[in-house]
Amino acid sequence: MATINLKSFPYSEDVTCPKCKNVITLYDPEGSEYCVCASCNSFIRFIANDTPVIQKNAPPIKQQPVLKLGSVGVFNGYNFKVIGYIEKKEKDASYAWREYILYNYEKGYANFAEYDGHWTFVAGKEFYPNLDKLTARDWKFIDYEENEYNLFNKYTAITTAILGEFDWDILFEWAKTSEFVAPPNIIYKEQDKPGTKSADFYLGRYAEPLEIAEAFKADIKLFPEKIGIGANQPSIHAKRWFSVYKLTPLLVVLVAVIGFMSLYVNPQHMVLNNDFNIVNDSTKVNEFKPFITPSFELKNSSSALNFLIKSEIDNNWLEATVVLVNEKDNQSWEVTESIEYYHGYEDGESWTEGSQEAEVLLSGIPGGKYHLNIYPASGDISNKNIHISINANPVVWRNVWVTILLLCLYPLYAWYRMRNYEKRRWMNSDYSPYDTD
């Protein structure tokens, strides 16, 4: 068992490998029962009289550890010393990963697990006492501290290479492991003996390589590059989605409330609603004389005006240039609108195209007395009527709906990116909640 309840790291001790006489440094000499000779790969056990005995030869490591044995760092609020390095793989599969044994003189052991460049800080009930409440059921998901952890993977882990010191026969260990994820966290359930009702639980938190390198003063350039998406890698898209999905409905309601409030604070009202006869201009071919509408008054300091122009044209067109004139200073606003309406019968079917009316919106019109100068033109000299109405301070619901749509676009984008990210994460799992090909 690890030496715990100390105020600092214990003094290290050197032992001599009984095979090659290489000097091996033990960083927790009282707590360690096994160690590996880095020179000849002997797996050594210390028996009751402290005489080192070679148990077997440990397989040589395939990758040099990026955290050196004996290096010290502060991580997750605890002082740690790296005392062991393990290379593991999944039984009957090629998936391999690496673990670094971390020793803390108060709590005991934790570790870093690294797979495809993704790092996880893992510790047991000594660091997370609530793990002791979990039981060895055949879980599909685990509720732990108000989070739901979903089953991601099941496998049997076997050790393929080791360095450093250990308090158990790690080469004999064949742990049946289940992983449950709730990014950035992950829970490991380990059973050393399949079929037993007892299990050990460990909680992991995703860690960025840079924070590990800085904590243990390691060279970040030596760290393996990230490949794919880690099982418990946090999603920036999920963070964005959860930051907006509660706020967006409130903003949508606020926009709608503002639209309804404007009906009462500044109600819309009709300032002009007349039919006008248009007269042919005898001096010009197929043209009409301009005319002036009756005056109307805008009482607000700034108003929006919605113009509706209608004419009962039939298989023809009409165009009207409308000039809004302030009678006090002759300031004017000009718009031109065309109306086209055609219909017919072809190949046994009726068809229509265009409309007999058009709308124009002007905003920011200052208060005062106004009239319209109308300059009509049409392809139908028999058409003699045009209807013009003006609503002041209209609630432009189209703008309200456009605003709501724009408010929803980013949350929809964030949700899509989050879902796509999660689908890619769960591609590596046999328990994916997403449909896969």
Side-chain angles (χ1 to χ4, degrees), residues 61-76:
I61 60 174
K62 294 183 178 180
Q63 296 185 27
Q64 287 297 320
V66 297
L67 299 180
K68 295 181 179 179
L69 299 185
S71 59
V72 177
V74 179
F75 196 87
N76 208 37

Side-chain angles (χ1 to χ4, degrees), residues 252-291:
V252 169
V253 171
L254 179 61
V255 170
V257 168
I258 292 174
F260 282 110
M261 285 182 61
S262 65
L263 291 173
Y264 297 95
V265 175
N266 197 16
Q268 68 178 3
H269 57 281
M270 193 80 71
V271 294
L272 181 68
N273 186 25
N274 290 96
D275 290 309
F276 300 96
N277 292 321
I278 53 178
V279 180
N280 294 336
D281 188 344
S282 58
T283 63
K284 298 179 181 179
V285 179
N286 292 341
E287 291 194 18
F288 301 98
K289 292 181 178 181
F291 60 92

Side-chain angles (χ1 to χ4, degrees), residues 231-364:
N232 60 317
Q233 183 178 0
S235 168
I236 184 64
H237 308 296
K239 184 177 179 180
R240 290 170 179 168
W241 161 247
F242 288 118
S243 68
V244 300
Y245 92 101
K246 290 183 179 179
L247 180 61
T248 300
L250 297 178
L251 294 177
V252 169
V253 171
L254 179 61
V255 170
V257 168
I258 292 174
F260 282 110
M261 285 182 61
S262 65
L263 291 173
Y264 297 95
V265 175
N266 197 16
Q268 68 178 3
H269 57 281
M270 193 80 71
V271 294
L272 181 68
N273 186 25
N274 290 96
D275 290 309
F276 300 96
N277 292 321
I278 53 178
V279 180
N280 294 336
D281 188 344
S282 58
T283 63
K284 298 179 181 179
V285 179
N286 292 341
E287 291 194 18
F288 301 98
K289 292 181 178 181
F291 60 92
I292 300 175
T293 69
S295 298
F296 55 89
E297 187 173 359
L298 303 178
K299 296 181 179 180
N300 293 340
S301 59
S302 180
S303 299
L305 300 178
N306 187 63
F307 293 76
L308 177 63
I309 304 171
K310 299 171 64 176
S311 180
E312 295 182 357
I313 57 173
D314 188 47
N315 280 324
N316 220 301
W317 60 272
L318 180 143
E319 182 180 276
T321 298
V322 180
V323 182
L324 176 67
V325 181
N326 188 314
E327 296 183 355
K328 180 178 179 180
D329 56 14
N330 286 324
Q331 185 180 6
S332 63
W333 292 259
E334 180 180 316
V335 295
T336 299
E337 278 298 315
S338 296
I339 300 172
E340 297 183 15
Y341 179 70
Y342 298 93
H343 62 90
Y345 189 83
E346 185 176 353
D347 296 332
E349 293 184 359
S350 299
W351 61 269
T352 61
E353 181 179 345
S355 173
Q356 292 179 326
E357 61 183 51
E359 285 189 84
V360 181
L361 180 67
L362 295 179
S363 59

Side-chain angles (χ1 to χ4, degrees), residues 386-433:
I386 185 171
H387 177 86
I388 299 176
S389 62
I390 302 176
N391 258 322
N393 306 317
V395 177
V396 185
W397 291 108
R398 179 182 60 186
N399 292 348
V400 173
W401 288 113
V402 169
T403 301
I404 291 175
L405 175 61
L406 293 176
L407 286 174
C408 293
L409 284 179
Y410 180 74
L412 288 172
Y413 169 77
W415 175 85
Y416 171 79
R417 294 297 301 273
M418 177 192 69
R419 179 178 172 81
N420 188 55
Y421 189 94
E422 292 303 315
K423 289 181 69 174
R424 290 166 56 203
R425 180 203 308 282
W426 285 89
M427 284 175 61
N428 299 320
S429 171
D430 292 331
Y431 307 93
S432 175

Side-chain angles (χ1 to χ4, degrees), residues 62-309:
K62 294 183 178 180
Q63 296 185 27
Q64 287 297 320
V66 297
L67 299 180
K68 295 181 179 179
L69 299 185
S71 59
V72 177
V74 179
F75 196 87
N76 208 37
Y78 294 97
N79 291 296
F80 287 110
K81 182 177 287 187
V82 181
I83 67 169
Y85 169 73
I86 311 169
E87 292 180 350
K88 291 184 176 182
K89 70 179 293 293
E90 183 177 333
K91 182 184 177 183
D92 301 326
S94 61
Y95 301 113
W97 65 96
R98 290 141 293 278
E99 295 180 5
Y100 294 80
I101 303 300
L102 307 175
Y103 168 57
N104 172 261
Y105 48 81
E106 296 175 299
K107 300 288 187 179
Y109 295 150
N111 72 66
F112 284 127
E114 178 268 312
Y115 172 70
D116 278 352
H118 299 278
W119 293 73
T120 300
F121 172 76
V122 184
K125 60 185 179 181
E126 296 80 12
F127 293 84
Y128 305 109
N130 286 341
L131 287 173
D132 209 22
K133 300 177 182 179
L134 299 178
T135 56
R137 293 169 49 189
D138 188 18
W139 300 94
K140 298 300 181 183
F141 64 89
I142 293 177
D143 283 324
Y144 178 76
E145 294 188 340
E146 299 183 355
N147 283 324
E148 183 178 292
Y149 292 74
N150 295 298
L151 179 62
F152 188 85
N153 202 2
K154 286 184 178 182
Y155 55 87
T156 297
I158 60 175
T159 300
T160 59
I162 51 176
L163 278 180
E165 61 196 86
F166 310 90
D167 69 343
W168 77 102
D169 187 354
I170 186 171
L171 290 181
F172 179 73
E173 179 185 64
W174 286 45
K176 185 177 181 181
T177 305
S178 298
E179 297 177 348
F180 302 83
V181 298
N185 295 337
I186 183 170
I187 287 178
Y188 300 90
K189 185 187 78 169
E190 291 188 356
Q191 292 176 284
D192 291 336
K193 296 180 180 179
T196 62
K197 295 182 179 181
S198 62
D200 295 317
F201 291 87
Y202 302 89
L203 179 65
R205 178 181 65 85
Y206 192 87
E208 290 294 339
L210 183 60
E211 65 175 327
I212 297 174
E214 290 178 346
F216 289 86
K217 298 179 176 57
D219 186 356
I220 188 63
K221 296 179 182 178
L222 299 178
F223 279 59
E225 183 180 357
K226 290 182 181 181
I227 300 174
I229 297 174
N232 60 317
Q233 183 178 0
S235 168
I236 184 64
H237 308 296
K239 184 177 179 180
R240 290 170 179 168
W241 161 247
F242 288 118
S243 68
V244 300
Y245 92 101
K246 290 183 179 179
L247 180 61
T248 300
L250 297 178
L251 294 177
V252 169
V253 171
L254 179 61
V255 170
V257 168
I258 292 174
F260 282 110
M261 285 182 61
S262 65
L263 291 173
Y264 297 95
V265 175
N266 197 16
Q268 68 178 3
H269 57 281
M270 193 80 71
V271 294
L272 181 68
N273 186 25
N274 290 96
D275 290 309
F276 300 96
N277 292 321
I278 53 178
V279 180
N280 294 336
D281 188 344
S282 58
T283 63
K284 298 179 181 179
V285 179
N286 292 341
E287 291 194 18
F288 301 98
K289 292 181 178 181
F291 60 92
I292 300 175
T293 69
S295 298
F296 55 89
E297 187 173 359
L298 303 178
K299 296 181 179 180
N300 293 340
S301 59
S302 180
S303 299
L305 300 178
N306 187 63
F307 293 76
L308 177 63
I309 304 171

